[in-house]
Amino acid sequence: MSEDEFRAAMSRLAGGVVLVTAREDDLEDVGMTATAFMSVSLDPPLVMVSLRNGSRMDDLLTDQPDWAVSVLSESQRHIAGRFAMKGRISDRLLFEDIPYARGEVTDAPLVRGALAVLECRTEQRVPAGDHTLVIGRVLTAGVPSAEGGPLMYFRGRYRTLG
Ligand SMILES: Cc1cc2nc3c(=O)[nH]c(=O)nc-3n(C[C@H](O)[C@H](O)[C@H](O)COP(=O)(O)O)c2cc1C
């Protein structure tokens, strides 16, 4: 099987889009767009995100356990696009005009207007090929925005329901 065949097959799996965030030592906020995010366990409450080895978020979460997830709404496509960029210069600029609140426990940015926000603490890191599965215990969870549909990713494009 070729890489293209694998990519094409997986691009048919529609997924919601999240922004994974973390605060680095009181210094800088870091964000990364992800679709490889899922709920894992209810008791204890666990979620998982798959991070590409060597990505800034993977590097950061190797050293510190706290992170957060904002489930993006259909009106937050620009946020997803911005935080999917590689080799960015400074995250500070990326967060500049994005309204967010700080997580109570993790200090990580929680995007205002997101469909849901979760604060997590890493319990386990599982190496998996060129990615690492980061399993986190959910410390807080909320649904700040009752309005709006999800931002989705399907066949290489952002989509909305319907
Ligand atoms: C729709 C979409 C979904 C993505 N999902 C993931 C993901 O689940 N895990 C991941 O590691 N990267 C994912 N990426 C890529 C990262 O967003 C991107 O590589 C990262 O922000 C670049 O960070 P870096 O500069 O540290 O490499 C996704 C990109 C897009 C556009």
Side-chain angles (χ1 to χ4, degrees), residues 96-150:
E96 212 169 49
D97 60 347
I98 291 177
Y100 64 82
R102 261 200 201 283
E104 310 160 30
V105 192
T106 58
D107 240 15
L110 309 176
V111 179
R112 285 199 198 278
L115 297 182
V117 289
L118 302 109
E119 290 187 272
C120 310
R121 183 160 294 154
T122 302
E123 292 244 319
Q124 217 180 325
R125 291 172 56 88
V126 183
D130 56 11
H131 280 58
T132 298
L133 309 180
V134 179
I135 297 170
R137 181 179 284 249
V138 181
L139 306 174
T140 71
V143 284
S145 177
E147 300 292 313

Side-chain angles (χ1 to χ4, degrees), residues 26-99:
D26 285 340
L27 282 174
E28 192 161 65
D29 295 316
V30 176
M32 194 193 86
T33 301
T35 47
F37 173 75
M38 63 186 278
S39 167
V40 172
S41 160
L42 189 58
D43 184 17
L46 299 174
V47 292
M48 189 202 81
V49 65
S50 176
L51 299 179
R52 185 175 57 78
N53 296 335
S55 62
R56 184 116 187 269
M57 188 58 72
D58 177 54
D59 284 351
L60 175 54
L61 296 188
T62 307
D63 298 328
Q64 71 139 50
D66 289 350
W67 44 287
V69 170
S70 300
V71 179
L72 298 180
S73 78
E74 59 196 359
S75 64
Q76 295 176 323
R77 187 185 298 222
H78 60 291
I79 298 178
R82 187 183 296 188
F83 286 94
M85 289 187 293
K86 284 192 180 186
R88 54 183 169 260
I89 300 162
S90 166
D91 283 78
R92 195 164 294 140
L93 297 174
L94 297 181
F95 277 102
E96 212 169 49
D97 60 347
I98 291 177

